[in-house]
Amino acid sequence: MDHEDAKAILERAWGDVANGRIAAPPKIKALIDRVMQAEGAKGFRYLLVTGTLARCVDPDAHPRAIQAGSDLPGAYDARSLCHKVVVGFEKTKGNLFGLSNEPFLSKPLRHPEHDKNNPQLRNKKAARDLHEALELVRQAPESEVYATLVQILRMGKVRADATKSAIVGGERTLGLSIEFVTRFLLKADGGARLVAVWGALLTLSNEEAEVKVYNPNQSDEYSGTLGDVEVHVADSVISASECKHRPLNLDDVEHGLHKNTLGAEYIFVVAAGLQTGQEEAIRKRIAAASELADVSLVDASRDFVPILKLIGPHRRQKLGQCVVELLRKMREFNCADEAAQLWNNIQSK
């Protein structure tokens, strides 16, 4: 797969987004619209554009292929094409598909090819729509495949225009990142802000893992989660964090330790310190628990700055984007827009 050719085709298609004479066939267009607008289908959006782009570059490429080892004729390495071409292209245009740095690490895209009948895919409707769209792309003449790529980018632009996105940071990342975190955490938004910042720090420093965040206002016992933020490796939870924007009390500690039935690393993250009068009891309880498992306390005001220093400038550049993306995963859309605006304002200084 010629990546330089792919970059050129993407730029040409972007230039044709406003050209109304270039239109995808109605059936493909309808499927594109559904995939692009589906909730919880970010990975599918990336496979849609990557598979269509691959067919534009190589007419023999199979759009549903994800790995070169797939049994589909025309299989190729979709992850490489997406990571080296699509991801970089998107960063220069806005939040077209979800602003993911590694979209093919998500579970739906870890298979050799996309198959609507795969029982492991949770979003069955979106999986079916994607399957049918890519099959139509596979069978379409080259002119229609290109028109489909233009339509995908057109829909992506509509999505980006409706979403406030955080830009990639510049060279002076440390001071600006510290200012962003400090100002952003002045408000709690029900604890979502602390969860998003901590989740972003873990995401940026655990590139080989999958970091999941959960809205702190949802019932973790009902959802079966171990904490507000979880780090997954090979489908196992290796670390969980309980985040409290208000002062942490002893009941919070007991509740978190009780949830940790898997014995994973457990971290209590606080933004307002410990409950007055309970400080010694909380520290003793955490110390006792740490003799049996990895249990620790992280104070945002004390520990976030050293963490920001450790993750390096190349990761700090993406901090704002990551916080915004995680807030949207928690469906905190207004808060996500506020984060994007704050980050962009700070970066423009």
Side-chain angles (χ1 to χ4, degrees):
M1 188 64 61
D2 190 329
H3 289 177
E4 293 305 315
D5 192 15
K7 292 177 183 178
I9 291 173
L10 263 181
E11 290 292 349
R12 177 159 60 90
W14 182 256
D16 283 330
V17 161
N19 187 349
R21 292 174 297 177
I22 300 178
K27 188 173 182 180
I28 296 181
K29 182 179 181 301
L31 291 167
I32 290 172
D33 290 352
R34 293 207 291 267
V35 173
M36 291 292 290
Q37 296 175 16
E39 290 289 339
K42 180 169 67 174
F44 288 169
R45 292 195 290 271
Y46 281 98
L47 183 55
L48 177 66
V49 65
T50 302
T52 305
L53 175 61
R55 179 84 208 289
C56 287
V57 176
D58 180 0
D60 293 328
H62 201 301
R64 285 198 296 109
I66 296 176
Q67 299 174 11
S70 166
D71 291 333
L72 293 175
Y76 71 103
D77 185 354
R79 177 181 176 181
S80 177
L81 178 63
C82 184
H83 180 68
K84 295 182 179 179
V85 178
V86 175
V87 169
F89 171 84
E90 182 187 24
K91 286 181 180 179
T92 67
K93 310 302 181 188
N95 190 354
L96 306 179
F97 313 111
L99 283 175
S100 174
N101 293 315
E102 286 282 2
F104 278 66
L105 290 182
S106 63
K107 285 185 180 180
L109 303 187
R110 291 180 182 176
H111 307 281
E113 66 272 334
H114 177 70
D115 186 342
K116 64 183 178 183
N117 295 319
N118 186 336
Q120 295 181 332
L121 299 179
R122 295 183 179 179
N123 194 333
K124 304 298 184 184
K125 185 178 185 303
R128 183 174 63 252
D129 288 340
L130 176 63
H131 184 117
E132 293 177 3
L134 292 177
E135 277 299 308
L136 290 175
V137 167
R138 181 178 68 86
Q139 301 165 20
E142 290 184 30
S143 60
E144 290 185 0
V145 176
Y146 179 76
T148 298
L149 180 62
V150 172
Q151 179 61 29
I152 294 170
L153 296 179
R154 191 176 284 144
M155 285 294 298
K157 187 175 186 304
V158 170
R159 184 178 186 277
D161 290 345
T163 304
K164 287 187 178 179
S165 302
I167 61 176
V168 176
E171 295 180 356
R172 293 175 54 247
T173 58
L174 180 57
L176 298 180
S177 295
I178 293 172
E179 181 181 355
F180 168 74
V181 170
T182 302
R183 291 173 59 182
F184 187 64
L185 291 181
L186 289 176
K187 292 170 59 178
D189 277 314
R193 292 185 177 223
L194 181 62
V195 170
V197 171
W198 179 243
L201 292 175
L202 291 182
T203 298
L204 295 173
S205 57
N206 287 270
E207 294 165 320
E208 298 302 317
E210 180 182 9
V211 177
K212 296 183 179 181
V213 297
Y214 304 97
N215 196 308
N217 297 309
Q218 76 178 29
S219 171
D220 44 28
E221 290 182 342
Y222 177 78
S223 63
T225 60
L226 299 187
D228 301 313
V229 183
E230 295 176 348
V231 180
H232 293 243
V233 173
D235 297 324
S236 297
V237 181
I238 64 165
S239 178
S241 302
E242 188 78 5
C243 301
K244 295 298 179 185
H245 206 114
R246 59 166 174 75
L248 181 76
N249 60 46
L250 193 57
D251 287 343
D252 297 327
V253 175
E254 295 294 350
H255 179 66
L257 295 175
H258 178 72
K259 286 191 300 181
N260 189 20
T261 56
L262 300 180
E265 174 189 59
Y266 211 83
I267 305 171
F268 294 97
V269 184
V270 299
L274 309 181
Q275 182 67 48
T276 301
Q278 297 186 4
E279 297 93 340
E280 184 177 357
I282 290 171
R283 291 192 177 95
K284 284 184 176 180
R285 183 67 182 96
I286 291 176
S290 67
E291 295 180 1
L292 302 175
D294 291 332
V295 181
S296 57
L297 176 67
V298 170
D299 189 319
S301 62
R302 179 192 65 213
D303 299 322
F304 279 12
V305 170
I307 295 172
L308 285 169
K309 291 179 180 179
L310 285 172
I311 64 176
H314 60 303
R315 297 187 182 96
R316 289 194 297 265
Q317 286 181 330
K318 306 170 188 174
L319 177 63
Q321 288 182 344
C322 196
V323 169
V324 170
E325 181 177 330
L326 295 180
L327 284 166
R328 291 206 167 99
K329 284 184 177 180
M330 290 187 281
R331 305 187 68 79
E332 295 284 346
F333 299 113
N334 290 336
C335 187
D337 287 345
E338 290 180 23
Q341 184 172 351
L342 175 60
W343 175 262
N344 292 346
N345 288 344
I346 291 174
Q347 297 301 316
S348 64
K349 286 184 177 180

